[in-house]
Amino acid sequence: MFSSTQNTIIAVATPLGVGAIAMIRVSGKDAFSITQKIWKSKKNLLTQVPNTLLVGTIIDQENTPIDEVVLSIFHAPHSFTGDNTIEISCHASPYIVQKILTLLVENGAKLAQAGEFTRRAYLNGRVDLAQAEAIADVIASENENAHKIAFQQMRGGFSKQIKKMREDFIKLAGLLELELDFAEEDVEFANRGEIQKQVHQLSQNISDLANSYQLGKVLKNGFPVAIVGKPNAGKSTLLNALLAEDKAIVSPIAGTTRDSIEDETTIKGIKFRFVDTAGLRQTDDIVENIGIARTKEKMQASALILYLFDVSEFTPDVLLKNLLEIEQYNVPILLVANKIDIADKNAIHYFENFEEKYQKQIIFLSAHTQHNLENLQNKLADYVQMQPLHQNQTIITNTRHYACLQDTLKALEQVKKSLDQKFSTEMVATDMREVIYQLGTITGEITNNDLLEFIFTKFCIGK
Ligand SMILES: Nc1nc2c(ncn2[C@@H]2O[C@H](COP(=O)(O)OP(=O)(O)OP(=O)(O)O)[C@@H](O)[C@H]2O)c(=O)[nH]1
Ligand SMILES: [Mg+2]
């Protein structure tokens, strides 16, 4: 359980281990008086001006100096948590950090739980729930796009949008509720046509946001691409080339890769998750067959299949025949002709009209020499539809937000139905209240302890 905001909590906010500087956060009502007890300097912390830095020494009970540190002083409510806060920057020896934490605890501070600082920031109204969740995403962001979205959400862009929609809807529902007060007089404050129009508009906006989740998921978790083909096509060689590391074993023996191997890499600011798979063929080898079954699972779970073939072994007829097997998975396929470095001209020539004839583009490359690898990388980056991101539209990445938006849409459908069927004002008002409730769960106007627990325990300690 989390302690009350009356307690003063402490945690190391920097990674543990040896480094130049570590930072310990002290936050709560008694942050200043507790730190003062282990502080030696001419300046008294209790009378210190807010937003200043102080240099001094941390001492133990026997007045033994532990470290020379810098303190950053924040007075409530102008701190991250909204409570009095001191950030102690000390030398990052694990001994020093542990010693300071122990001294603080001995003087009345409590060790913080995961996410407790951010939880207090939320409870003190410094950030709303969606913003608090975005802080975790900013910390986890590993590339330009994931960072851009998380940063925008942390600053409250998404929350503002949701809050505005909710407030507009509250006003509308308010008019309807007013009618209930005058039930006997048969008045209509809220024009039903106007409600219908606004419900329609809100549904549109909410579904745009919900639809952005597909892209959001990709930007956050990586775009899943399965590399598939016959044994020896060069799949593992291609994986290694895309990752720029020797991840998978490459050999001229057909059936080298048995288990699927996956890893992530960023191409043009987009995170991709590539899966190298066991080559598809008929075999009696039990282990290889398990691998082939996994290949099928991976194909199904991917957003794009790279079908790789050895251009000197395939003709358009063979390619089309093999493709039939892959097409049943209903995942878009990108064809890649490999080994152009050793293929003779005739082999490549066979495929010259392929694109025109079958409306299927082929990328010719050599995974081994990496000739034309860039063409594939460009094609992959273009493939992920990034327009919404470039147009600065809000993109949601959080599964909880997505689920809340879906619930809001369901509630809006119910309002539409009640209006269409000319249900009583009371029933329409009840349905509208559900929409307001669902929107409120996103930013945290509506919340409960279980939800907070679910969100904040996923944070790291010190955040
Ligand atoms: N010359 C040439 N050889 C290649 C190329 N790509 C792969 N190879 C060779 O082809 C052989 C098979 O490569 P792998 O990457 O292991 O093939 P794979 O598709 O992963 O094969 P399995 O794991 O058995 O399904 C190895 O000897 C590679 O060096 C290429 O572009 N050019
Ligand atoms: Mg392989």
Side-chain angles (χ1 to χ4, degrees):
M1 260 333 275
F2 284 90
S3 44
S4 90
T5 52
Q6 294 307 308
N7 288 333
T8 295
I9 50 169
I10 57 166
V12 194
T14 41
L16 292 177
V18 182
I21 303 285
M23 197 265 271
I24 297 168
R25 266 190 175 148
V26 185
S27 184
K29 193 165 60 69
D30 301 323
F32 301 148
S33 57
I34 290 175
T35 313
Q36 178 65 40
K37 291 187 188 146
I38 62 165
W39 174 243
K40 194 175 166 193
S41 153
K42 283 189 201 103
K43 301 241 169 89
N44 188 320
L45 288 180
L46 301 172
T47 54
Q48 188 55 32
V49 195
N51 305 329
T52 47
L53 299 179
L54 279 185
V55 180
T57 308
I58 298 286
I59 48 166
D60 70 7
Q61 294 90 333
E62 277 86 45
N63 265 332
T64 313
I66 305 299
D67 195 16
E68 302 254 321
V69 303
V70 177
L71 304 187
S72 318
I73 319 276
F74 305 93
H75 282 222
H78 304 292
S79 70
F80 172 67
T81 55
D83 294 331
N84 286 339
T85 299
I86 291 187
E87 292 180 357
I88 307 173
S89 301
C90 60
H91 294 102
S93 121
Y95 169 73
I96 293 175
V97 170
Q98 206 48 53
K99 185 74 190 171
I100 297 176
L101 288 176
T102 308
L103 289 171
L104 288 166
V105 168
E106 282 167 0
N107 283 290
K110 295 240 166 345
L111 290 173
Q113 308 279 319
E116 196 168 1
F117 291 94
T118 314
R119 184 176 180 145
R120 285 190 176 187
Y122 163 69
L123 292 173
N124 286 332
R126 301 287 293 164
V127 291
D128 66 39
L129 211 48
Q131 282 176 296
E133 288 168 300
I135 294 173
D137 289 341
V138 167
I139 295 171
S141 65
E142 290 170 346
N143 62 60
E144 189 184 332
N145 291 320
H147 165 262
K148 188 172 169 179
I149 302 172
F151 198 68
Q152 193 240 17
Q153 295 198 356
M154 186 180 78
R155 291 188 146 188
F158 171 56
S159 300
K160 228 183 264 167
Q161 242 171 308
I162 295 290
K163 280 180 187 157
K164 170 90 175 56
M165 291 179 195
R166 185 165 182 266
E167 273 158 26
D168 289 349
F169 211 70
I170 287 175
K171 274 186 213 148
L172 198 64
L175 290 177
L176 211 67
E177 308 254 346
L178 207 59
E179 284 177 19
L180 294 176
D181 294 342
F182 294 89
E184 267 143 47
E185 286 154 55
D186 198 22
V187 286
E188 192 180 283
F189 294 119
N191 180 295
R192 296 300 185 267
E194 184 55 32
I195 298 183
Q196 235 146 357
K197 215 169 90 192
Q198 290 209 32
V199 167
H200 179 76
Q201 187 57 52
L202 184 61
S203 297
Q204 190 58 50
N205 295 345
I206 297 283
S207 43
D208 286 348
L209 279 175
N211 290 339
S212 75
Y213 180 61
Q214 286 311 326
L215 176 61
K217 218 167 48 171
V218 161
L219 294 175
K220 192 165 156 179
N221 305 326
F223 189 79
V225 179
I227 307 174
V228 176
K230 295 275 160 208
N232 265 351
K235 300 178 294 299
S236 302
T237 311
L238 182 64
L239 176 83
N240 292 347
L242 287 164
L243 299 178
E245 89 172 72
D246 263 342
K247 180 94 184 174
I249 299 173
V250 166
S251 93
I253 302 163
T256 301
T257 307
R258 299 192 156 205
D259 213 344
S260 24
I261 300 169
E262 48 184 294
D263 208 345
E264 297 166 354
T265 191
T266 301
I267 300 173
K268 290 190 167 181
I270 306 164
K271 183 152 108 179
F272 283 88
R273 200 150 43 77
F274 290 107
V275 191
D276 175 24
T277 60
L280 294 168
R281 67 167 168 182
Q282 295 292 337
T283 168
D284 294 331
D285 187 309
I286 298 173
V287 179
E288 199 177 343
N289 271 325
I290 298 173
I292 293 171
R294 279 201 188 163
T295 301
K296 292 176 178 165
E297 279 168 30
K298 292 292 172 185
M299 275 198 272
Q300 231 142 17
S302 65
L304 179 70
I305 293 173
L306 287 190
Y307 186 79
L308 191 71
F309 61 95
D310 180 341
V311 71
S312 54
E313 284 197 342
F314 270 36
T315 60
D317 291 345
V318 177
L319 175 60
L320 284 172
K321 193 172 135 266
N322 282 309
L323 271 183
L324 284 181
E325 194 186 337
I326 313 296
E327 274 166 349
Q328 61 176 320
Y329 293 97
N330 275 330
V331 176
I333 302 168
L334 185 59
L335 299 177
V336 184
N338 190 28
K339 307 199 187 181
I340 57 167
D341 56 316
I342 50 164
D344 70 49
K345 289 221 165 56
N346 279 340
I348 298 172
H349 177 72
Y350 284 138
F351 290 95
E352 255 162 20
N353 298 323
F354 190 87
E355 191 175 342
E356 232 170 84
K357 217 163 150 188
Y358 302 105
Q359 308 296 310
K360 285 189 177 101
Q361 197 193 349
I362 299 178
I363 295 187
F364 294 85
L365 53 71
S366 164
H368 182 65
T369 66
Q370 308 203 355
H371 184 68
N372 282 352
L373 182 70
E374 213 181 318
N375 287 359
L376 175 63
Q377 287 165 324
N378 289 339
K379 183 83 192 165
L380 286 168
D382 290 346
Y383 190 83
V384 184
Q385 285 290 318
M386 301 291 284
Q387 282 98 320
L389 185 74
H390 299 318
Q391 290 161 359
N392 279 331
Q393 288 173 19
T394 302
I395 293 160
I396 61 152
T397 55
N398 185 301
T399 316
R400 188 185 76 83
H401 299 170
Y402 177 66
C404 291
L405 291 172
Q406 294 291 2
D407 289 342
T408 309
L409 279 176
K410 258 186 240 151
L412 281 165
E413 275 312 306
Q414 192 51 50
V415 177
K416 275 187 207 160
K417 235 187 249 164
S418 302
L419 285 169
D420 285 347
Q421 297 177 7
K422 303 215 166 10
F423 282 176
S424 70
T425 306
E426 199 156 3
M427 283 174 89
V428 178
T430 308
D431 294 337
M432 286 178 83
R433 255 180 251 139
E434 177 65 16
V435 173
I436 294 164
Y437 174 88
Q438 291 300 344
L439 284 173
T441 56
I442 299 179
T443 46
E445 272 100 349
I446 311 279
T447 189
N448 61 53
N449 246 340
D450 289 345
L451 178 62
L452 296 186
E453 208 77 357
F454 169 77
I455 291 172
F456 289 107
T457 46
K458 284 196 283 192
F459 276 66
C460 48
I461 294 195
K463 193 58 231 166

